[in-house]
Amino acid sequence: DAANQASNQAREKEIREETRLENLCAHGPYSALALAEERLAQLEQEVKREELRIEAIRLLHDTVAACRAEAIASVSGPVEAAATRTLQRIAGRKLGNIKVGDGFLPSGVVPDAMADTVQVDNLSGGEQEQLYLATRLALADVLGRDDRQLVVLDDVLMSTDSGRLARVMNVLEEAAQRLQLLILTCHPERYRGLKQGTFHDLESLVGNTNHS
């Protein structure tokens, strides 16, 4: 925008100088005419430089946008596929395939029998929990292929029913072989199914620290 404004201003100056040149020509003083022609040439060069600058800015913007879209696409596809596999293990195939947005947050699901995306807000509370959990685990797997990443979960299974909760425990057990899982919860009894889980009562730990 600034470059366009500068270009317009230079063009307006050029028009004014052309008008002034015409007036000088009408009066015929050679020296003034030469100066005006020199100024006009300078303004024409300024206009060309500003137009070139505008094109360079536009090209840079389009290139960055294209690279960003390509980078997102290279990650979003594998994340959607991995998250969909996890969600189907938890909830079956009825919810369909997970779709993620530019920020790698789930935007909805596409059931097999439908062409349109079902928005996240139209899912039940438990299904939303399972959708976000599957997406976060998939992101950690795809982005941290070479390292064992830390995944922090904060009471992510408040609305999930007991049948699906048991399947979620199996998913978490397998994920813990690839990822370091830290689960914060006020309902530890819901996670007692984690056979390899280590439980820490933060309230008692804080109390022991205060006493010591």
Side-chain angles (χ1 to χ4, degrees):
D1 289 342
N4 278 322
Q5 184 177 0
S7 178
N8 291 334
Q9 290 174 351
R11 190 171 288 108
E12 290 173 0
K13 289 181 181 179
E14 180 184 356
I15 293 172
R16 287 197 299 271
E17 291 298 332
E18 286 179 343
T19 303
R20 182 165 172 263
L21 177 59
E22 291 174 357
N23 292 332
L24 290 172
C25 288
H27 292 84
Y30 179 78
S31 59
L33 176 60
L35 290 174
E37 288 177 340
E38 182 180 349
R39 178 58 179 158
L40 179 59
Q42 291 175 353
L43 290 172
E44 289 174 347
Q45 290 299 319
E46 288 180 15
V47 169
K48 291 180 180 179
R49 283 196 299 269
E50 291 300 329
E51 289 176 344
L52 182 61
R53 182 165 171 259
I54 291 170
E55 288 302 318
I57 292 172
R58 184 180 293 113
L59 177 60
L60 179 61
H61 174 272
D62 293 345
T63 302
V64 171
C67 290
R68 181 175 185 273
E70 183 179 354
I72 290 174
S74 67
V75 175
S76 61
V79 167
E80 289 175 347
T84 297
R85 289 193 296 270
T86 299
L87 183 63
Q88 289 178 353
R89 289 185 57 190
I90 298 171
R93 300 185 60 87
K94 70 171 186 174
L95 291 178
N97 298 322
I98 294 178
K99 305 301 292 183
V100 299
D102 289 348
F104 299 115
L105 292 174
S107 58
V109 293
V110 183
D112 293 337
M114 297 177 60
D116 297 330
T117 301
V118 177
Q119 301 300 314
V120 175
D121 293 341
N122 293 326
L123 302 177
S124 68
E127 290 170 340
Q128 291 184 33
E129 288 179 348
Q130 297 145 28
L131 178 66
Y132 279 99
L133 174 64
T135 304
R136 292 189 66 183
L137 292 177
L139 267 172
D141 277 332
V142 171
L143 297 178
R145 291 172 180 168
D146 300 326
D147 299 302
R148 193 169 187 229
Q149 297 295 320
L150 171 66
V151 179
V152 180
L153 306 173
D154 187 1
D155 259 340
V156 293
L157 302 171
M158 296 296 295
S159 302
T160 297
D161 60 61
S162 57
R164 292 186 179 182
L165 184 62
R167 294 193 286 272
V168 171
M169 293 302 108
N170 291 330
V171 169
L172 292 178
E173 288 278 8
E174 293 178 11
Q177 305 302 314
R178 310 180 303 276
L179 305 166
Q180 179 67 50
L181 301 181
L182 175 61
I183 302 173
L184 305 175
T185 180
C186 294
H187 304 278
E189 68 280 358
R190 295 180 65 80
Y191 297 90
R192 294 299 178 186
L194 293 173
K195 300 176 183 178
Q196 303 298 321
T198 301
F199 292 81
H200 299 280
D201 187 342
L202 297 183
E203 187 175 0
S204 63
L205 291 174
V206 171
N208 293 335
T209 302
N210 291 337
H211 289 308
S212 61

